[in-house]
Amino acid sequence: MMKHRGQSLIEVIIALAILVGSAAALTQLVDVGRRHAERAVEVTDAQSICRNVMNEVLAGVRPWEEVRRQPVDPFTPWDCSIEIRPTDLVDLFSVTVTVTEPAGPGSNPLAMDEVDNSSRQYRLVRWVRRPIQDSAEFNESNFENNADGRFDVP
């Protein structure tokens, strides 16, 4: 009887084929994970920029007016649009801020969203009361003084 000493050539080839197949599958998984991580960073950036623009509008830093695809600032590629619509309720407005990252010359069209191949967008909608815009609207005569010294806006 002959003893089995070592691996046959067929066993080595099968082991190498399994190793190569596993490495190819892992490479694909790493690539998918990388693309999803990049997309998550982009969505987080868009949400942050959108929230900042909305807060600037509500704080009065940006004017209370509609804007169509203007650059957010000179340091980011994002554009913003602001839409202000009245609602059925008195003094309540729907403020929509949309930030868009246009597809630039260096962007990869295959990496864009399936729904919109030209740009990426994020939209934030808030219902707010219209802020006081003019200092003439906002003066001490608009306040009522309570007995305990607090001021209330009528």
Side-chain angles (χ1 to χ4, degrees), residues 35-94:
R35 281 188 280 137
H36 282 281
E38 287 174 358
R39 179 68 179 138
V41 167
E42 291 170 0
V43 168
T44 302
D45 288 346
Q47 289 173 341
S48 177
I49 291 168
C50 199
R51 201 172 38 249
N52 289 343
V53 170
M54 177 67 80
N55 290 336
E56 288 173 3
V57 168
L58 297 178
V61 175
R62 288 185 186 256
W64 180 265
E65 62 188 22
E66 293 196 2
V67 174
R68 296 279 176 243
R69 299 230 24 180
Q70 289 186 347
V72 173
D73 61 39
F75 306 109
T76 61
W78 295 90
D79 295 334
C80 75
S81 299
I82 302 170
E83 183 178 295
I84 301 170
R85 298 282 183 246
T87 63
D88 294 336
L89 303 171
V90 177
D91 289 336
L92 194 64
F93 291 82
S94 170

Side-chain angles (χ1 to χ4, degrees), residues 99-110:
V99 292
T100 307
E101 183 181 38
S107 65
N108 180 3
L110 298 176

